[in-house]
Amino acid sequence: MSNEPTPTSTRTSDPPAPPPNLPQPSTLPQPKPLSSLPQLTRYITTHRASDGLAALHSQAPFIWAGFDEDNLGFAVPFTTSAFPADLNGDADLAAHDALVASGRLGLVSPGGTVCRVVDFAPGYACAMHRTKSLDYGVVLEGEVEMVLDGGDRAVLKRGDVAVQRGTNHQWVNTSATEWARMLFVLQDIQPIVVNGKELGEDLGPEGGLSKAEKKS
């Protein structure tokens, strides 16, 4: 890098831009949550060109977009497009910016990873869906029930972690009055074959973000 970063420097944070196979946002990207939950900030680190020591590259508020009549709030603080990621010369930052600007970012980044935070409205249940990815899902606020298509269910509380291994699943906010929030890290995977059948991505009705239900 030619210029040394300063702790007060900022980069434009990144709106989650869905590809054509996903519904368009019901609320366009904005620098505040759709929910009543606190706003979050993304901090990116780097190395100073002068001495090679660690430094803060930038900080920026999360950018949120609403889906399914604003029952879902999405923020995507960062992505990668290769594994292992190349951090030399800020190649990873450039790849992330290019992916977001392309409008082709889906739930998964082929060959890379996606860090996404999702807010769920009170009583909301998303559609059953499967992504071609290994997902780490961490509950940050509230309680969220994980429902699997085979009938198993588990209620995840704050700090609990779900390891989604390419399975068909649904998320349900168990509270009728409070928003819930989860952090997801999705990593692309090799195709999964079960009983001789390859399991591809299945985003449910109309992309998996619409025609969902709200639990009473």
Side-chain angles (χ1 to χ4, degrees):
M1 294 181 298
S2 59
N3 297 321
E4 293 195 7
T6 62
T8 58
S9 64
T10 59
R11 287 163 50 87
T12 302
S13 194
D14 311 299
N21 65 318
L22 292 181
Q24 293 300 307
S26 50
T27 293
L28 295 178
Q30 60 182 29
K32 62 179 181 179
L34 284 75
S35 71
S36 57
L37 298 175
Q39 170 63 307
L40 301 175
T41 302
R42 179 190 67 182
Y43 296 88
I44 296 179
T45 64
T46 190
H47 295 92
R48 288 198 301 253
S50 60
D51 56 14
L53 296 180
L56 181 62
H57 177 282
S58 59
Q59 63 186 72
F62 278 28
I63 299 297
W64 299 85
F67 292 87
D68 198 5
E69 299 179 352
D70 291 352
N71 287 303
L72 281 175
F74 272 24
V76 180
F78 206 66
T79 66
T80 62
S81 297
F83 190 85
D86 182 5
L87 278 58
N88 294 294
D90 288 347
D92 60 320
L93 302 182
H96 169 69
D97 290 343
L99 177 59
V100 171
S102 73
R104 301 296 303 177
L105 175 59
L107 294 183
V108 179
S109 175
T113 65
V114 177
C115 178
R116 177 180 288 110
V117 175
V118 180
D119 286 355
F120 300 88
Y124 179 76
C126 73
M128 188 73 68
H129 63 286
R130 176 175 55 244
T131 55
K132 181 180 165 289
S133 59
L134 171 63
D135 308 343
Y136 308 139
V138 185
V139 177
L140 301 180
E141 302 284 352
E143 294 186 359
V144 179
E145 184 176 31
M146 177 176 62
V147 182
L148 304 179
D149 66 357
D152 286 346
R153 295 171 174 260
V155 175
L156 282 65
K157 300 181 180 181
R158 182 183 297 175
D160 286 345
V161 179
V163 180
Q164 279 286 346
R165 303 175 60 248
T167 55
N168 208 20
H169 64 282
Q170 177 187 40
W171 302 111
V172 181
N173 182 355
T174 61
S175 173
T177 58
E178 302 294 332
W179 283 78
R181 172 175 286 173
M182 292 188 70
L183 166 71
F184 295 94
V185 178
L186 295 83
Q187 177 180 314
D188 194 14
I189 58 173
Q190 298 292 329
I192 297 177
V193 178
V194 178
N195 294 331
K197 178 182 178 182
E198 182 175 322
L199 302 180
E201 185 175 71
D202 182 359
L203 300 184
E206 297 187 15
L209 296 179
S210 59
K211 290 190 176 178
E213 57 183 307
K214 293 191 73 173
K215 301 293 185 182
S216 58

